[in-house]
Amino acid sequence: MNTTTKLPPGRRLRWNGTLIAGIVMFAIVALIALVAPMIYSGQAATLTGESNLGSEPGHLLGTDALGRDMLARTLVATRTTVLMALAATAIAAVLGVGFGIAVWLAPPRIRNLGLRLIEFFISYPGLLLAIIVAAILGQGAITAVIAVAVASIAGFARLTANLASGIASRQYITTARLLGVPGYRIAIRHVLPNMAEPMLIITAQAFAGALVEISGLSFVGLGTQAPYYDYGTLLADSLSKIMTNPILLVGPAVAIIFVSMAALFVGDGLAAAANPRSNAKQAQMSARVDEGSSLDVPTDAVLVADGIRVSHIESGREIVSDVSFTIGRGEIVGIVGESGSGKSLTASVVSCLLQDGLEASARRLTLGHTDLLGRVPQAELASRIGLVYQDPGTALNPALTLGSQLTDVLRTRLGFSRREARKALIAAFKDVLMPDPEGRLRQNPHELSGGMNQRAMIASAMSVEPELLIADEPTTALDVTVQREVLTLINRLNSERGTAVLFISHDLGVVRRLCDRVLVMQQGQIVEHITSMDDLTVERAQHPYTKQLLAATPVVNVDSMEDA
Amino acid sequence: MSSTARADNQGSNDTTMPESMSPHSTEDVAGGAATISPHAAGSHAKTWRRFLVRRFKSLAISLVLLVLMTFFIVQLIPGDPAEAIAGPDASPATVDAVRAELGLDDPTLVQLWDYLVGVASGDFGESFRYGVPALDIVMAAAPYTVTIAFASVLIVLVGGVALGISVAIATRGDRRRWLGTAFTTVTSVFTSIPPYILATFLVVIFALWLSWFPPAYTLAYGFWQSAILPIAALSIGSIGGMARIVRREAAVVEEMDYMRSARGWRLPALVRYGKHLLPNVLTTALTLSGIILTALLGSALIVETVFGWPGIGSAVIRAIAEDKDYPVIRAAVFVIGAISLVTTLVIDIILGAIDPRTLGEEQ
């Protein structure tokens, strides 16, 4: 492990406008803090007869009660203010990071105590903590610095403890621990360098926060005392003249907001650099005219897909190339292949749910007499295509009851009343043999088992009485006995209602049991089309990839499974 | 999940929002082996009981810590606290009086015991300045502070969520890029303005130029008329911060499997966002509003002085800067801390009712 590496290999800081703006603004502040007292301190301290002036040539931001130029005073005050904020941030960072690391290195009992202490201080208003310190030490500039530092320690400590425990669970740290590397060395060599980026963000924000809080304390008279002055005391001076000369507010107010904004920009910019936003273009589906169709379309076909192509809009890379198949009424067609073979993408094209950033085209894509490549009313799609997904635990909304979320499609797209939709869903629940269907309507997904949730999902898909059911790995997330129940269910609904089914799976055992025909996909292409399940054996399969898949599938004795 | 992060004083600390705040990082709880229904009701009550016991225990510990902290405000004063409090010009008799009132002659442990006994019966000592029980002074001021802080948080919650969701809908799938940019810019500016500076701007614009509201608290105008500017000063910046986080969270939720299901059912956008997305963003928004309330209670202390608002902030700052009125300081620190702790607990309970997954064990 290279200890100087702060970013994972291959990742470089991506500059963006926000980050650059923030850094430039900070640089301006630093420059003013450095230079202004040398140039303007005379002007800022000169008492003139021209007191309480508004904005006018020579005194752009007016003059205070003693006739001192407010612009000059604001510029000069930058150094004091920035130095105080820097000191407070540095103290808070050192103590906070130290405490956070100590908490993380401590034995579990003390660690918990330390974490609780951090939480206690964090749930307490920071400014009030600062005021407590001011109450103890009496008002003054140093007090304000210490007060604000104390108020910011907990933030650093919590971030450090959180990051440290996150990094500590990584593989190489565990290995180092097992090898007997002492805790403090792990902390210095591995943990601290990995925290650089979030630390930079919180430091920028803590600095701005410290500047705002110190100015606030000075503003109410608890910070810097005359004859010294900072942004806060200037603001307080101008507040006393607010009725007669409000222009005086502009200098100190703009200065504080400027620094505050610089920190926000740096934080946002660094965060954006770490997670660049994907500008995925909206998905498109179009018809394509070319030769080469070899699809034989039976007269009873429910779905005809001829030459589906899917590609990445940005890179132009083709992910699915020329996939063609049909599904007849009452037929179950399986698509198998390893993950990344394009089977789910094919399904998303057929269901008109292609994700953003991709474009698809086909020579023909029809459901019955409807051209899915054209504009199809949403209500029609909702009522003719039913969808079942892989993981019922995540495919159902955790915040809504089953009754509430599963009746939405009936009510919004099929024109059912609330009561009719409920009745239809209860009937669908009965159809999939859910015990106590009325009670299920009132339950949230997390109150039910995965198998029950998948039944509910299937019931919902079937409640619209679709012509085509698309099931994308519907049994993968379920355990074996539940898998069998779900398969039996799909099989029964298919034979009772004649619903055509597109069944996607990587499990050849499951496919063999359920499907009438199987398409084998590899790298976006159909490599083999098996029309009889008897051919789905290592001996009789034609394509080497199919043989390979079959060889990797444990032998399932279908008869014994049925009996069990 | 307890409300944890301390938003900086503007409530704009969104880049450091801890992972644990997002309910979506613990999504697997709802997956695979969920509870089977017959036991669900029983385990539900048990989860709640365990949650409440745990949270009340930690509230009790925090309150004790708080009382200890207020005790040490006087103890930690460098040098002789009595002399420091009485001031450099005080006569020896005054110093002795202060010492007697605070019981500083006794050994520290005895002082602590006396203090704890006093606090247990609501006695923080008598105000040096006004000669009445310090707690009475603070409790008379508390409603003013609580009103503007809570009203602000409510406005931040409602306004921030509405704004954040609306922008999330309007800019979904890379639509209206200009709106996204405008939103980010405007909210950046507003979250960068500290409440006490915004307060001065509001006074100039709405009290001085437009004369719509009084520049400072006065009974002549009526309570709410006077309260509007302080509430606006406290809430406007945080609305921007809340809206930014809600918008980003909405984009995260939009990627969830259950939102794909909603698209699969071809639900209209209004139902998808208003019904399926909103409740899942609300957990984050509520958690955040607890953090914002804590920050706002702090900011309120300073904003109050701009408007001469007769709340705890004005009281405690006067007590420190002018009167050295330590019994009042102690009582004020305790009351604000207690309000902040109790509110955090109440928000956690509301969160638990909305999203039972947050009731789980900590760590």
Side-chain angles (χ1 to χ4, degrees):
Chain A
M1 182 67 202
N2 181 356
T3 51
T4 56
T5 309
K6 294 188 177 79
L7 300 169
R11 226 185 88 199
R12 288 173 56 211
L13 189 66
R14 289 165 197 253
W15 290 95
N16 54 48
T18 319
L19 182 57
I20 293 170
I23 290 174
V24 167
M25 285 165 79
F26 265 131
I28 292 173
V29 173
L31 192 71
I32 293 175
L34 201 67
V35 174
M38 303 182 210
I39 304 174
Y40 297 110
S41 52
Q43 197 183 342
T46 311
L47 308 181
T48 64
E50 305 169 309
S51 62
N52 294 320
L53 290 181
S55 176
E56 56 182 57
H59 300 291
L60 207 57
L61 299 182
T63 58
D64 70 3
L66 299 174
R68 294 174 295 197
D69 182 69
M70 206 58 181
L71 177 60
R73 283 175 75 76
T74 304
L75 292 175
V76 172
T78 305
R79 181 183 283 180
T80 322
T81 314
V82 165
L83 282 181
M84 286 167 74
L86 267 184
T89 312
I91 295 171
V94 169
L95 294 182
V97 172
F99 189 74
I101 290 274
V103 160
W104 172 69
L105 288 175
R109 207 168 250 279
I110 299 177
R111 185 186 307 167
N112 278 337
L113 202 73
L115 289 175
R116 265 175 189 281
L117 206 63
I118 293 174
E119 293 308 324
F120 169 74
F121 279 106
I122 277 178
S123 63
Y124 205 74
L127 261 171
L128 191 62
L129 274 181
I131 283 174
I132 293 174
V133 175
I136 296 172
L137 299 179
Q139 59 261 58
I142 293 176
T143 303
V145 170
I146 296 174
V148 169
V150 167
S152 323
I153 289 174
F156 276 101
R158 203 220 11 225
L159 182 72
T160 309
N162 278 354
L163 289 173
S165 65
I167 295 164
S169 58
R170 290 188 198 161
Q171 189 71 47
Y172 60 88
I173 303 278
T174 323
T175 313
R177 280 211 150 167
L178 286 175
L179 290 173
V181 180
Y184 71 92
R185 287 200 53 186
I186 297 179
I188 291 169
R189 287 177 61 93
H190 299 299
V191 177
L192 282 177
N194 275 298
M195 301 192 312
E197 215 174 309
M199 273 300 163
L200 213 56
I201 297 178
I202 196 187
T203 306
Q205 282 171 344
F207 172 74
L211 191 134
V212 167
E213 283 175 18
I214 289 174
S215 302
L217 288 177
S218 292
F219 178 53
V220 295
L222 297 181
T224 310
Q225 306 290 317
Y228 302 104
Y229 58 97
D230 63 6
Y231 289 164
T233 50
L234 290 181
L235 197 67
D237 290 348
S238 44
L239 183 68
S240 62
K241 294 279 178 300
I242 195 169
M243 291 300 160
T244 51
N245 199 8
I247 191 75
L248 297 182
L249 284 172
V250 173
V254 166
I256 295 173
I257 294 170
F258 189 80
V259 179
S260 186
M261 214 180 286
L264 188 78
F265 283 166
V266 168
D268 281 0
L270 282 174
N275 311 300
R277 211 169 74 87
S278 61
N279 296 321
K281 296 217 170 57
Q282 265 178 278
Q284 291 168 2
M285 289 185 22
S286 57
R288 186 179 78 242
V289 183
D290 65 18
E291 302 298 308
S293 173
S294 57
L295 192 66
D296 184 20
V297 180
T299 47
D300 72 335
V302 173
L303 180 81
V304 179
D306 187 359
I308 294 179
R309 258 185 207 157
V310 180
S311 54
H312 225 251
I313 299 179
E314 205 102 317
S315 65
R317 193 164 48 87
E318 198 164 273
I319 319 168
V320 172
S321 21
D322 221 351
V323 165
S324 306
F325 60 94
T326 64
I327 306 178
R329 200 179 137 68
E331 216 182 0
I332 305 184
V333 172
I335 302 185
V336 295
E338 62 197 0
S339 56
S341 60
K343 52 192 196 310
S344 290
L345 276 180
T346 306
S348 71
V349 172
V350 171
S351 54
C352 300
L353 285 172
L354 195 64
Q355 68 207 64
D356 286 342
L358 300 177
E359 62 182 343
S361 67
R363 284 184 289 269
R364 180 177 167 191
L365 185 63
T366 51
L367 178 67
H369 295 294
T370 308
D371 180 9
L372 295 179
L373 297 171
R375 273 200 167 273
V376 190
Q378 293 289 311
E380 200 181 327
L381 288 174
S383 62
R384 294 178 65 186
I385 302 177
L387 293 155
V388 179
Y389 307 93
Q390 173 166 350
D391 185 351
T394 57
L396 288 165
N397 196 319
L400 300 174
T401 61
L402 291 183
S404 171
Q405 58 185 304
L406 298 180
T407 53
D408 273 347
V409 57
L410 297 172
R411 292 173 55 199
T412 61
R413 291 303 188 195
L414 279 80
F416 284 44
S417 70
R418 180 188 288 264
R419 177 183 291 206
E420 289 166 352
R422 243 179 82 89
K423 251 174 81 180
L425 188 62
I426 290 174
F429 275 8
K430 284 183 178 151
D431 251 3
V432 298
L433 307 175
M434 297 248 294
D436 183 23
E438 284 89 354
R440 293 285 174 272
L441 293 184
R442 288 187 298 272
Q443 285 181 307
N444 282 83
H446 71 265
E447 295 175 73
L448 298 173
S449 67
M452 267 315 146
N453 279 331
Q454 195 61 302
R455 280 170 192 247
M457 206 69 197
I458 295 172
S460 156
M462 297 305 292
S463 69
V464 299
E465 304 190 344
E467 289 156 56
L468 175 66
L469 179 71
I470 300 178
D472 190 351
E473 304 250 13
T475 58
T476 309
L478 306 174
D479 60 48
V480 179
T481 46
V482 184
Q483 274 188 17
R484 277 181 37 207
E485 290 169 17
V486 168
L487 292 178
T488 312
L489 192 62
I490 293 176
N491 203 354
R492 210 192 76 224
L493 293 171
N494 160 262
S495 50
E496 280 175 7
R497 303 194 186 176
T499 313
V501 179
L502 179 61
F503 188 91
I504 293 167
S505 180
H506 65 275
D507 186 340
L508 284 166
V510 165
V511 165
R512 183 190 281 127
R513 194 173 154 229
L514 188 69
C515 298
D516 300 311
R517 288 187 289 125
V518 174
L519 308 164
V520 181
M521 278 187 79
Q522 183 192 20
Q523 291 173 357
Q525 286 176 314
I526 294 178
V527 294
E528 184 162 6
H529 182 181
I530 292 165
T531 48
S532 159
M533 285 311 106
D534 297 337
D535 293 338
L536 201 57
T537 60
V538 180
E539 295 76 29
R540 300 173 71 167
Q542 300 293 310
H543 196 274
Y545 179 68
T546 315
K547 287 178 190 287
Q548 213 179 313
L549 277 180
L550 282 163
T553 309
V555 179
V556 181
N557 189 327
V558 179
D559 297 333
S560 69
M561 241 179 80
E562 306 266 340
D563 294 343
Chain B
M1 176 165 57
S2 62
S3 302
T4 49
R6 169 177 158 258
D8 64 42
N9 52 337
Q10 309 137 51
S12 69
N13 212 356
D14 55 344
T15 39
T16 54
M17 187 171 79
E19 286 294 310
S20 62
M21 248 185 70
S22 169
H24 311 293
S25 51
T26 54
E27 206 62 65
D28 54 323
V29 180
T35 44
I36 309 298
S37 50
H39 308 292
S43 74
H44 196 60
K46 208 165 142 194
T47 317
W48 265 106
R49 204 168 51 236
R50 277 222 295 268
F51 168 77
L52 288 177
V53 167
R54 193 175 67 237
R55 293 298 281 110
F56 272 102
K57 217 167 76 187
S58 93
L59 175 70
I61 296 172
S62 297
L63 284 175
V64 170
L65 271 174
L66 185 59
V67 172
L68 286 178
M69 217 156 77
T70 60
F71 173 71
F72 283 106
I73 288 178
V74 172
Q75 295 299 313
L76 289 177
I77 296 175
D80 178 0
E83 272 177 31
I85 292 170
D89 309 325
S91 65
T94 315
V95 175
D96 286 341
V98 168
R99 192 172 284 130
E101 172 63 30
L102 293 172
L104 291 171
D105 290 324
D106 301 324
T108 307
L109 278 180
V110 175
Q111 288 180 42
L112 178 60
W113 175 251
D114 289 345
Y115 183 70
L116 291 180
V117 170
V119 168
S121 58
D123 178 14
F124 282 85
E126 280 194 355
S127 160
F128 294 164
R129 169 80 189 259
Y130 303 99
V132 295
L135 191 64
D136 290 359
I137 292 179
V138 173
M139 290 313 279
Y144 289 92
T145 302
V146 168
T147 308
I148 56 170
F150 277 67
S152 301
V153 163
L154 212 62
I155 291 169
V156 169
L157 187 62
V158 175
V161 170
L163 183 62
I165 294 262
S166 311
V167 173
I169 297 175
T171 58
R172 69 186 187 281
D174 216 31
R175 289 175 176 83
R176 300 188 188 85
R177 203 176 272 202
W178 62 269
L179 180 64
T181 313
F183 172 80
T184 312
T185 314
V186 171
T187 51
S188 292
V189 172
F190 276 103
T191 49
S192 297
I193 305 179
Y196 58 84
I197 290 183
L198 190 60
T200 60
F201 290 169
L202 292 175
V203 167
V204 172
I205 297 170
F206 292 101
L208 207 58
W209 292 348
L210 298 174
S211 302
W212 289 359
F213 306 104
Y217 175 74
T218 155
L219 279 174
Y221 270 83
F223 181 82
W224 288 106
Q225 196 88 359
S226 300
I228 284 178
L229 287 186
I231 291 173
L234 285 177
S235 52
I236 288 176
S238 296
I239 290 176
M242 174 69 89
R244 284 157 72 98
I245 291 182
V246 166
R247 181 193 177 202
R248 204 182 48 187
E249 187 68 9
V252 172
V253 172
E254 177 73 355
E255 298 294 311
M256 293 284 144
D257 284 355
Y258 53 81
M259 291 308 294
R260 183 191 59 189
S261 303
R263 287 194 296 277
W265 287 314
R266 327 282 166 180
L267 303 182
L270 198 65
V271 176
R272 260 190 1 242
Y273 285 92
K275 180 174 172 184
H276 289 239
L277 186 132
L278 184 62
N280 292 288
V281 174
L282 224 48
T283 314
T284 305
L286 253 179
T287 310
L288 188 66
S289 65
I291 297 161
I292 287 177
L293 179 78
T294 304
L296 284 190
L297 275 173
S299 301
L301 300 181
I302 291 187
V303 167
E304 281 177 6
T305 53
V306 177
F307 295 100
W309 188 252
I312 300 181
S314 299
V316 76
I317 284 166
R318 200 181 323 113
I320 296 174
E322 292 163 26
D323 302 340
K324 304 276 179 206
D325 198 344
Y326 278 79
V328 171
I329 298 172
R330 280 174 157 175
V333 166
F334 175 78
V335 169
I336 296 231
I339 291 172
S340 158
L341 290 169
V342 170
T343 317
T344 306
L345 176 63
V346 170
I347 287 178
D348 282 356
I349 290 174
I350 297 174
L351 274 176
I354 292 179
D355 187 349
R357 286 171 300 165
T358 61
L359 296 178
E361 296 294 322
E362 277 164 1
Q363 279 134 34

